[in-house]
Structures are given as C-alpha cells and as structure tokens.
Amino acid sequence: MKVLFCRWQHDADLIQVAEGYQAVLELAKTYQTNFWLQDLRKRSYSDKAFAFEKDLVLALDKTLSIHTYIAYLMLPLQKELITKGTPLVRTNNNLTIRYFINEHDALLWLERKQQNI
C-alpha cells in the first residue's frame, strides 16, 4: 500500500507528540513513503497539544524533500473541534493534509493521491 500507518495508542503530551513525528519522519525516509495515515482516535482532545501539533506539522513542511500526504483519522468530536475554522484539506509547499472519521475513506484518498503522482 505504500502507506505509513501511525496509530497513537494513548493520549500524548507535547514531548511525545514531537518525538512521535520525528520517528514518523525517520520511518518515512527509510521506507521512502510520502503517504501517512495518522490515527488520533485514542488520543483525547487537548487545545494545547493539537495547536502544538498543527505548528509541528507545518514545520515539517519545510523539512520534507517530497510532497507528503497526511490523512488524519479521528473521532467525529475530535474532527469537529480540531477543524473548526480550518479547511478540511490544507495544502502547503510540500504537504497536503485531510481529515477523516472513516478509515476506508482515508485510505481511499491516499490511494487516489498515489495514482495522481
């Protein structure tokens, strides 16, 4: 599938979020994949953690050497709180992010992005 699955198994503090993204970045380089599925369903909502995460992901945009697609999989309430005032699809120089509540839809989107490259 050439998709890097990242499933958070519990809530995470700011340090764990940063370490998690660094690990994902290293794995993506090792396996040469630019399609990520970030499963946040087991993480509780925290304004501070998700604001930090948004900033961290935007900072990743500057370090990525190839365009990367991240499908965020979350609970409906998480999606509502996180995307309030945010477009459902965000694109920067080397990064496209989309939010989902259904894993099938997230994987289908990533598959379509792979076919478009």
Side-chain angles (χ1 to χ4, degrees), residues 1-6 24-38 57 60-61 63-72 93-98 106 109-117:
M1 291 179 62
K2 296 186 180 182
V3 173
L4 182 58
F5 284 80
C6 312
V24 170
L25 188 57
E26 293 303 317
L27 284 170
K29 287 179 185 177
T30 300
Y31 292 101
Q32 299 178 352
T33 182
N34 56 324
F35 300 94
W36 305 0
L37 176 73
Q38 288 276 343
V57 169
L60 274 179
D61 181 44
T63 66
L64 296 167
S65 58
I66 57 174
H67 198 92
T68 298
Y69 299 86
I70 303 176
Y72 278 103
N93 295 330
N94 285 323
L95 185 63
T96 300
I97 297 170
R98 187 160 176 199
W109 178 75
L110 289 169
E111 181 182 333
R112 287 181 181 151
K113 292 300 178 185
Q114 288 175 357
Q115 292 172 355
N116 290 338
I117 293 179

Side-chain angles (χ1 to χ4, degrees), residues 49-110:
F50 282 111
F52 174 76
E53 189 164 4
K54 283 182 182 181
D55 291 343
L56 183 64
V57 169
L58 292 176
L60 274 179
D61 181 44
K62 295 177 178 131
T63 66
L64 296 167
S65 58
I66 57 174
H67 198 92
T68 298
Y69 299 86
I70 303 176
Y72 278 103
L73 181 59
M74 51 190 60
L75 298 170
L77 181 59
Q78 287 173 317
K79 183 178 176 191
E80 180 183 326
L81 294 169
I82 292 168
T83 61
K84 188 180 286 187
T86 302
L88 292 182
V89 178
R90 296 183 348 208
T91 301
N92 291 48
N93 295 330
N94 285 323
L95 185 63
T96 300
I97 297 170
R98 187 160 176 199
Y99 303 95
F100 297 89
I101 57 173
N102 179 296
E103 188 166 340
H104 178 274
D105 293 341
L107 290 171
L108 188 61
W109 178 75
L110 289 169

